[in-house]
């Protein structure tokens, strides 16, 4: 188990239904024109299979009384 940093706690607990504290990320992916078989579905499969290898995406929030 790992504690949230002070800044992570501020962002988490200051978020309300009307005030969102998260950010959006955008990626532009250029696909080789010779790879026409690689589409959105294939991209989602590749990314989905690799997310568990990035440690922060495996964290779960646990409230401690």
């Amino acid at each position: 188990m790992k504690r949230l940093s002070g800044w992570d706690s501020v962002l988490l607990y200051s978020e309300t239904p009307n005030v969102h504290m998260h950010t959006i990320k955008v990626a532009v992916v250029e696909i080789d024109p010779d790879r026409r078989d690689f589409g959105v579905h294939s991209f989602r499969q590749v990314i989905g299979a690799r997310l568990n290898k990035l440690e922060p995406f495996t964290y779960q929030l646990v409230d401690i009384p």
Side-chain angles (χ1 to χ4, degrees):
M1 192 172 300
K2 183 176 164 183
R3 285 186 177 265
L4 287 177
S5 70
W7 185 242
D8 289 335
S9 296
V10 166
L11 291 176
L12 178 66
Y13 294 115
S14 61
E15 185 165 311
T16 67
N18 296 328
V19 179
H20 305 290
M21 300 303 288
H22 59 272
T23 60
I24 295 175
K25 308 298 186 263
V26 175
V28 176
V29 180
E30 185 176 341
I31 299 172
D32 184 0
D34 297 331
R35 295 277 325 262
R36 295 193 185 271
D37 61 332
F38 191 82
V40 173
H41 180 70
S42 300
F43 179 74
R44 286 181 178 167
Q45 285 181 324
V46 169
I47 296 299
R50 295 178 182 182
L51 283 179
N52 65 343
K53 297 179 181 188
L54 297 170
E55 187 181 348
F57 289 110
T58 64
Y59 294 165
Q60 292 182 6
L61 187 61
V62 176
D63 281 329
I64 299 174

